Amino acid sequence: MAKKNVNEMSFLDHLEDLRWHLIRATLAIVIAGVIAFLFKSFIFDVIILGPKQMSFPTYKYLCKISQFMNIDTTFCAEEFPFIIQNRTMSGQFSAHIWTSIYAGLVIAFPYVLYQLWSFISPGLHDNERKHSRGFILVSSLLFFIGVLFGYYVITPLSINFLATYSVSQEIENQIDIGSYISLVRSSAIASGFVFELPIVIYFLTKVGLVTPQFLKKYRKYALILVLVLSAIITPPDIASQIIVAIPILILYQISIYISALVVRNQKRAAKSKELKTK
């Protein structure tokens, strides 16, 4: 049966259409998750447990910087003073399942975006679809850059601080597998979604909820919010907070430019329409 025109579709038709887009997106995540499940050694030994090894690229790079500046640091240690343990019967199997699902989400993210765009785009005007070309590519690129930033910057900084922090020499760190994986997962995926800020601002500007003047007016409050956020997700040292805050502030500035561009295009379209009606 041919697909109905969006203007002819009822509310229930839209719900049915949305249901199938969600089913296809979920199926893609499941398939990608199954693939990740089969590559258990690579996912855990190389990716998940990578930041636990002092041979991790971030530690080697920061160690060289510290040595160059003649600063004592824990980045040059031989190994972290903690072990990862499992304390429940199904702990490792559950960790395998949930890690595969989240890996499937990351892998299938472009296709999930494609399904979201396929549902939204029929309701847009031709000029809006034209100006929104590259949505999937740009959104996916920002997401993957954010994931890499979280994995190679936030995760190792957090592990290095938390693993070497001690309130007493009598206490030994034996980290539960769920706690460790949660830190790696949340740092990477949360950063991926944070890097979607320009895309979010683009659509909020399109619907009139945000303006470039609003973003500029509250820029100083955004700066405070970013510093607070970076203080929460990173170790409590200035260097780490600045490393995390800088890209987020750059994204905010880019969002202001995108918002201004959207408003300018809307004014041009309105002016062109007004001239045609005269």
Side-chain angles (χ1 to χ4, degrees):
M1 184 176 67
K3 189 175 181 178
K4 295 182 179 179
N5 185 284
V6 67
N7 295 321
E8 300 174 351
M9 294 175 65
S10 66
F11 177 71
L12 291 179
D13 289 331
H14 282 294
L15 285 181
E16 178 68 10
D17 188 38
L18 176 61
R19 184 173 76 90
W20 279 107
H21 284 298
L22 292 176
I23 288 174
R24 285 190 284 268
T26 303
L27 185 60
I29 294 174
V30 171
I31 293 174
V34 170
I35 295 174
F37 185 88
L38 296 176
F39 287 88
K40 178 179 65 173
S41 297
F42 176 77
I43 294 293
F44 281 90
D45 294 339
V46 178
I47 297 180
I48 299 298
L49 297 176
K52 182 184 178 297
Q53 310 301 323
M54 294 307 301
S55 58
F56 194 66
T58 305
Y59 303 132
K60 295 170 66 175
Y61 179 73
L62 293 174
C63 177
K64 290 180 180 178
I65 293 178
S66 301
Q67 290 175 341
F68 177 77
M69 300 177 64
N70 197 25
I71 299 174
D72 291 332
T73 179
T74 55
F75 292 119
C76 299
E78 293 184 0
E79 62 180 12
F80 283 117
F82 75 94
I83 61 171
I84 298 176
Q85 62 176 356
N86 173 55
R87 296 180 297 173
T88 60
M89 286 294 295
S90 62
Q92 295 198 52
F93 182 71
S94 296
H96 191 187
I97 291 290
W98 283 107
T99 299
S100 299
I101 292 174
Y102 282 106
L105 172 62
V106 174
I107 296 170
F109 187 77
Y111 185 77
V112 173
L113 279 181
Y114 170 75
Q115 290 301 321
L116 174 63
W117 181 247
S118 297
F119 176 72
I120 295 174
S121 59
L124 300 177
H125 297 295
D126 291 338
N127 64 325
E128 290 177 328
R129 281 196 294 269
K130 180 180 178 181
H131 289 116
S132 301
R133 287 176 181 173
F135 163 75
I136 298 173
L137 176 62
V138 174
S139 298
S140 299
L141 183 62
L142 286 173
F143 177 77
F144 288 131
I145 291 174
V147 169
L148 291 174
F149 178 79
Y151 179 72
Y152 282 103
V153 178
I154 297 179
T155 297
L157 288 176
S158 300
I159 290 178
N160 180 73
F161 170 75
L162 296 174
T164 57
Y165 186 83
S166 175
V167 294
S168 172
Q169 296 297 323
E170 298 297 320
I171 301 176
E172 182 181 2
N173 282 332
Q174 297 181 355
I175 312 301
D176 185 72
I177 184 174
S179 176
Y180 175 84
I181 293 178
S182 176
L183 187 148
V184 177
R185 179 183 65 229
S186 60
S187 298
I189 296 181
S191 295
F193 285 115
V194 167
F195 271 60
E196 293 293 316
L197 178 63
I199 302 298
V200 174
I201 293 298
Y202 172 83
F203 283 104
L204 290 179
T205 305
K206 291 286 289 184
V207 298
L209 294 178
V210 168
T211 64
Q213 291 75 22
F214 174 85
L215 295 174
K216 291 177 182 177
K217 180 180 178 180
Y218 291 97
R219 180 160 33 197
K220 58 183 179 182
Y221 299 106
L223 173 60
I224 296 174
L225 181 62
V226 167
L227 291 176
V228 171
L229 177 64
S230 61
I232 293 174
I233 63 179
T234 62
D237 64 87
I238 300 299
S240 299
Q241 293 175 20
I242 292 176
I243 290 173
V244 173
I246 287 177
I248 299 178
L249 291 174
I250 292 174
L251 287 171
Y252 188 85
Q253 190 61 40
I254 293 174
S255 299
I256 294 176
Y257 172 76
I258 291 174
S259 181
L261 186 63
V262 171
V263 171
R264 185 161 62 248
N265 290 335
Q266 287 177 336
K267 288 181 178 179
R268 286 178 180 174
K271 187 176 180 179
S272 177
K273 185 178 180 181
E274 183 180 347
L275 291 174
K276 288 180 180 179
T277 55
K278 288 184 178 180

